[in-house]
Amino acid sequence: MEAAMRWLVGWSSTTTRPPGGAAAVGTPGATGTAGATGDDGETLTPVGSQLLWGDPDPLWAVGDWRPDEVRTVKADDQTRIAVLGTCGASDEELRVSLFAARGGALRHLTAWPGSYTAVVQVGRRVMIAGDLAGARPVFYTPWAGGTAYATAALPLADLIEAHLDIGHLAALLAAPDVPEALHDSTPYQDVRRVPPGHALILRAGAREIAGYEPVASLAVAAPAADEAGALDGVRDALVEAVRARLRAPRHVPGTDIDPGPVPGMGPAERRAARGMPVPGIGADLSGGPASGTLALLAAGLPGMPGTVLGHGTGAGERLVAVTFNDLVSGGREAELERAGAIAANPRLHHVVVAAGEEALPYADLDGPLTDEPSAVIVTAQRHRARLASGSADHFTGYGARQVLDAHPARLADLLMDRKRRYLVRPVTALAKAEGSVMVPARVYGAARKLARTTHRAGVQSLADRLLHRHFEEPGGAVGASLAALAWARPGPAARWLTGEALAEVSVRLQETATRPGPGPGQRPGEFRARAALFRHAADLRVLEQAAEVRFQRLHAPFLDNQVVRACRALPESLRVRPGARAAILRTVLEGAGVTELPPGWGAPSHASAAAAARTGLRVAVNELIGLFDTPLLAQAGLVEARVVRKALRAAADGEPLPLDGLADLVSTEIWLRRLLSRRGTCWTGTPARQRAVPTGSVVPQRGALGAGR
């Protein structure tokens, strides 16, 4: 079973005729046909697609796109733009943008509110802009003498019948937060990823990757950040991001008829049981500051948010706020109380989802095939239980921590800027948490060392750690901060990989010495924060596919381009203050007219996902051990089965092992099994067309781990 992904795909050929010699039959906005002739004479077109424009450089939208999510605007016969997703630009703004794009300007294509992908065609030149966070990535692959591109990797892997890139999987497990380890690779050989903040430019099949964000100058000092102006910028960007969703047309999910009363179940429960969201707009309301901010903004902005009158709760335009209550793990009582206090707002309709063992991590490992592996696969059922009670358009607070919080490595940035006084508050907070007077000296020393370490030396240090299997790190809050004060660090699953796999990842890291570093003016804290954002956005993309509820759209405004830009303008001195995220969001709400918040709002959550993960692991340990009887990861040479089985038993017995590392291993194994057991392909022409991993098995080969370099 594959996830109901929505993606766009196209290609640019070297001639005015499509690859393979098929006739150019497509026209802009047509519903006819376009495609290419494959090696066996079949015409290649994506399955379930709608043609946006035709040959010689066709573009398709594939999947269950809503009508308002696919827009094309044409300036003349040679100039046109397609925007897929939620975009706040008007048709006239899109038309004006084409004239700037004709001259090569790309940044303005990413500056409208919303979350979308823009594709511009000017003659034989095609430009596809990715986003800043990486939640809407762009992939490409050489094909038929030209270049094929898509917003998903699997369709391109099917197109070229790609084999697995075992080296990428090794790097994903050994160093998931290190861009130098992953570089531009994907789980499929020869399918590449465009880095966030860059655009793919194709000229008659030839490709170029160009960054569209301005690069910091070393000759001119950056202007001092204005704290009040930066906060205003975050407020304006976030409000506009929410407003862009409210302006979009309302959607009533599906056409299924309610089968009628069921004892003990209301209309909302019956709809959730059928896997159908509530019509209209809703939001998560966890009790934390991020989801609470979005719920209050969406409920308070003009534009009649919430459900469609006459549907769902019957509450007219009240916004549906969904709170997840874990009855097994517990520990979130304070957050639940705050969520209930926020939901007392008359414009909110509060829905509490009570979840038992059936919603624990690892509880249900039968799900759809996603584009890439991610640890969220093991918690997909947990998220689906919450989202099934949500709305057709559902706001989530994902990404707030990554764009607002200060990564511990930012302490080194402050030292580089000679702003030592701003280290006092965060270091004092760590000292209070640890109860030790030695904390300030330890943290200051680690930050000073990082400030004096070059990027190349930091990556080389990680390569040495992997090669010599040095994974021990100090525990506690201070230990985590000290470990994070580095350019790069091993992932939690690295300790269970084979020596060969770690050696191959070490070689990949050492080879980065021949490539440019993170760019002029890049500092370790800023670099680490961006890498964490990219990883989080990639996980969210997989979560959308793995936990998708039919007819539902998840909205993560914190990952919108304009919100990310506004958050990047926040000064370091503001970020590193304890409780900075809650304070920033409180200011955002006050600027939007929301002043009454419950006591303790924004307090750090001690409810731990680790408690739920350990409980879920203990309940499902026998099934997980069976999963690693003959694992595909062992066939690929990445792990030894007995080592993983021993770790699973130990973690279930309560030993202090990194549970997120075990989640990485389990989810990657599940993803491999789903990929190899799939039937069919993303393209027509079957059975002549093969699919990704055409052998249907993991074929261990000497040196295969380094195939993606």
Side-chain angles (χ1 to χ4, degrees):
M1 178 171 59
E2 293 184 26
M5 292 185 286
R6 287 171 295 279
W7 39 279
L8 62 85
V9 64
W11 56 64
S12 178
S13 57
T14 55
T15 66
T16 57
R17 296 176 65 81
V25 295
T27 56
T31 58
T33 60
T37 302
D39 297 335
D40 298 310
E42 76 280 17
T43 299
L44 301 182
T45 55
V47 175
S49 63
Q50 63 179 103
L51 182 66
L52 302 184
W53 57 65
D55 295 325
D57 304 314
L59 176 67
W60 291 271
V62 185
D64 61 336
W65 293 96
R66 294 170 175 173
D68 58 287
E69 291 177 329
V70 180
R71 298 162 61 194
T72 57
V73 173
K74 179 179 176 182
D76 55 49
D77 291 337
Q78 298 294 317
T79 310
R80 50 199 172 188
I81 182 173
V83 177
L84 288 86
T86 302
C87 179
S90 65
D91 286 353
E92 184 57 31
E93 288 175 310
L94 295 180
R95 190 171 288 105
V96 170
S97 73
L98 287 172
F99 296 102
R102 184 181 290 169
L106 293 174
R107 190 175 187 273
H108 69 284
L109 298 176
T110 69
W112 299 307
S115 179
Y116 57 88
T117 302
V119 183
V120 173
Q121 186 180 48
V122 180
R124 293 302 313 282
R125 181 159 50 107
V126 179
M127 295 164 279
I128 312 99
D131 66 338
L132 289 173
R136 286 183 167 268
V138 178
F139 303 88
Y140 66 93
T141 187
W143 183 64
T147 301
Y149 62 89
T151 52
L154 183 59
L156 297 182
D158 279 349
L159 181 65
I160 64 172
E161 303 174 11
H163 293 279
L164 280 171
D165 186 345
I166 305 299
H168 174 87
L169 296 179
L172 193 62
L173 291 170
D177 295 328
V178 183
E180 292 77 15
L182 300 173
H183 193 38
D184 62 351
S185 63
T186 69
Y188 316 99
Q189 289 183 22
D190 298 322
V191 178
R192 300 294 174 186
R193 181 193 313 268
V194 176
H198 290 68
L200 177 65
I201 303 173
L202 305 174
R203 294 179 176 88
R207 61 185 172 273
E208 172 192 356
I209 296 175
Y212 54 74
E213 286 294 277
V215 178
S217 171
L218 294 179
V220 180
D226 173 25
E227 183 174 312
L231 288 172
D232 289 344
V234 172
R235 180 200 64 212
D236 294 344
L238 200 54
V239 167
E240 196 58 35
V242 173
R243 185 175 284 130
R245 273 81 174 183
L246 297 181
R247 290 189 187 125
R250 297 289 187 269
H251 290 273
V252 178
T255 57
D256 295 0
I257 300 175
D258 193 328
V262 176
M265 295 177 68
E269 288 80 8
R270 295 199 300 272
R271 185 180 294 105
R274 300 198 311 274
M276 301 281 286
V278 176
I281 294 179
D284 282 340
L285 186 60
S286 67
S291 63
T293 296
L294 293 179
L296 290 170
L297 285 179
L301 289 176
M304 295 197 306
T307 59
V308 180
L309 188 61
H311 294 274
T313 63
E317 295 299 331
R318 289 202 293 170
L319 182 136
V320 178
V322 180
T323 299
F324 184 81
N325 184 12
D326 186 348
L327 300 178
V328 178
S329 303
R332 298 185 63 243
E333 290 75 13
E335 281 197 355
L336 291 173
E337 289 181 10
R338 287 194 291 271
I342 294 172
N345 185 316
R347 300 199 72 180
L348 294 176
H349 173 72
H350 199 200
V351 176
V352 178
V353 178
E357 286 193 358
E358 74 284 351
L360 283 171
Y362 306 100
D364 184 359
L365 300 181
D366 182 20
L369 171 65
T370 56
D371 198 37
E372 301 178 275
S374 168
V376 300
I377 288 175
V378 302
T379 57
Q381 179 59 30
R382 186 175 181 84
H383 292 287
R384 195 180 299 115
R386 179 186 84 253
L387 297 174
S389 296
S391 299
D393 288 278
H394 197 75
F395 285 97
T396 66
Y398 292 115
R401 184 186 304 273
Q402 285 69 30
V403 298
L404 292 173
D405 281 12
H407 192 282
R410 287 190 185 270
L411 297 179
D413 296 355
L414 290 172
L415 288 180
M416 295 175 72
D417 293 339
R418 301 183 183 276
K419 297 179 179 178
R420 294 178 177 83
R421 67 183 183 277
Y422 294 113
L423 271 69
V424 174
R425 294 175 68 174
V427 170
T428 302
L430 282 173
K432 289 178 63 178
E434 190 78 0
S436 171
V437 295
M438 298 301 295
V439 168
R442 294 169 62 196
V443 173
Y444 180 82
R448 189 166 178 263
K449 180 181 178 181
L450 176 58
R452 296 182 174 186
T453 303
T454 64
H455 171 260
R456 181 174 298 182
V459 174
Q460 181 63 50
S461 174
L462 174 61
D464 292 341
R465 287 187 65 183
L466 293 178
L467 194 60
H468 297 97
R469 305 186 70 91
H470 293 162
F471 303 122
E472 297 305 320
E473 293 178 344
V478 174
S481 297
L482 291 174
L485 283 165
W487 277 100
R489 59 186 292 197
R495 67 189 63 218
W496 293 300
L497 298 187
T498 62
E500 180 190 5
L502 292 174
E504 290 289 349
V505 178
S506 177
V507 171
R508 288 170 73 107
L509 290 169
Q510 291 169 355
E511 288 183 349
T512 62
T514 62
R515 296 197 295 263
Q522 187 83 79
R523 298 171 299 172
E526 183 181 358
F527 178 77
R528 287 295 306 276
R530 293 196 183 200
L533 173 62
F534 300 160
R535 184 75 253 142
H536 179 79
D539 288 341
L540 174 60
R541 179 170 170 267
V542 173
L543 172 63
E544 287 183 290
Q545 299 165 10
E548 184 177 42
V549 174
R550 195 180 177 202
F551 302 120
Q552 186 178 69
R553 297 290 187 270
L554 291 187
H555 299 283
F558 285 104
L559 297 180
D560 285 7
N561 286 336
Q562 290 299 78
V563 177
V564 171
R565 286 189 178 105
C567 292
R568 285 180 178 174
L570 292 169
E572 302 284 351
S573 56
L574 174 61
R575 289 180 186 274
V576 299
R577 297 174 191 168
R581 175 163 33 114
I584 292 169
L585 294 179
R586 184 186 295 271
T587 303
V588 167
L589 288 174
E590 289 174 352
V594 180
T595 57
E596 296 183 5
L597 295 172
W601 186 86
S605 170
H606 298 291
S608 108
R614 190 172 296 280
T615 303
L617 182 63
R618 186 173 64 250
V619 171
V621 64
N622 292 331
E623 181 183 353
L624 297 179
I625 289 174
L627 186 70
F628 282 89
D629 278 342
T630 55
L632 295 173
L633 286 174
Q635 293 182 30
L638 297 178
V639 301
E640 292 184 25
R642 61 175 182 81
V643 172
V644 179
R645 291 197 297 266
K646 180 181 177 181
L648 289 170
R649 292 190 186 97
D653 290 339
E655 289 191 23
L657 295 175
L659 300 181
D660 43 357
L662 291 173
D664 287 338
L665 292 175
V666 172
S667 59
T668 305
E669 176 67 23
I670 293 170
W671 180 83
L672 281 171
R673 294 187 177 216
R674 292 175 185 173
L675 177 67
L676 298 185
S677 64
R678 71 189 283 247
R679 296 292 179 265
T681 172
C682 295
W683 298 85
T684 60
T686 54
R689 290 301 301 170
Q690 294 292 328
R691 59 182 181 272
V693 197
T695 58
S697 62
V698 175
V699 181
Q701 296 177 351
R702 186 172 182 81
L705 295 184
R709 296 199 302 270

